[in-house]
Amino acid sequence: MLTKQRADRVLLSNISWEQFENILRDLGETRSSRVAYCDGTLEIMTPLSGHEFYKEAISISIKDFADELEIDYESLGSTTWRKPAAKAGLEPDNCFYFQHEPLIRGQLDYDLSKVRPPI
């Protein structure tokens, strides 16, 4: 039996920053869903297999280009980036530090007031 794949997506409104932080904690670190939060609106989405295929292909290409050009980088995957002052947070599929890579090399905690997240 062939089923049509679809992304599951939930939008929640009027979510406080504290509720967002609690939801992230409850969802845990090992999950396939992605979250985005902006000024009270929370989106929780589970990507499709095609999405994951292209994410991996693009990530491998970026790493190959950087290696070929001998550019140092740090890949931080789908790290959840939070900015409480802006009431915003999001999880990319993958993210890479290039320009500021020496500032974060070997660190597990980042002070975003000193080192901006990858853009």
Side-chain angles (χ1 to χ4, degrees), residues 49-113:
S49 59
H51 178 98
E52 293 297 303
F53 171 81
Y54 289 112
K55 174 197 81 158
E56 285 300 312
I58 291 168
S59 295
I60 290 168
S61 296
I62 290 171
K63 292 174 184 180
D64 286 348
F65 284 126
D67 290 342
E68 186 64 29
L69 297 171
E70 297 181 357
I71 299 172
D72 290 332
Y73 65 91
E74 189 70 37
S75 172
L76 297 180
S78 59
T79 299
T80 305
W81 298 102
R82 298 173 181 93
K83 193 168 186 180
K87 295 182 182 176
L90 85 112
E91 294 174 342
D93 291 320
N94 202 348
C95 61
F96 296 86
Y97 268 101
F98 288 96
Q99 181 179 5
H100 299 293
E101 181 272 337
L103 299 173
I104 61 110
R105 185 181 304 143
Q107 295 184 32
L108 297 178
D109 293 311
Y110 309 98
D111 182 350
L112 297 181
S113 67

Side-chain angles (χ1 to χ4, degrees), residues 2-11 32-33 43-52:
L2 183 64
T3 60
K4 185 176 181 179
Q5 289 188 334
R6 66 187 247 294
D8 290 324
R9 178 177 173 237
V10 175
L11 281 175
S32 61
S33 61
E43 176 185 30
I44 304 173
M45 190 266 300
T46 54
L48 298 173
S49 59
H51 178 98
E52 293 297 303

Side-chain angles (χ1 to χ4, degrees), residues 12-24 37-42 84 87-88:
L12 303 171
S13 300
N14 300 316
I15 302 295
S16 70
W17 182 259
E18 292 77 22
Q19 288 172 314
F20 169 59
E21 290 283 353
N22 289 335
I23 289 168
L24 283 177
Y37 177 85
C38 185
D39 200 25
T41 300
L42 174 65
K87 295 182 182 176

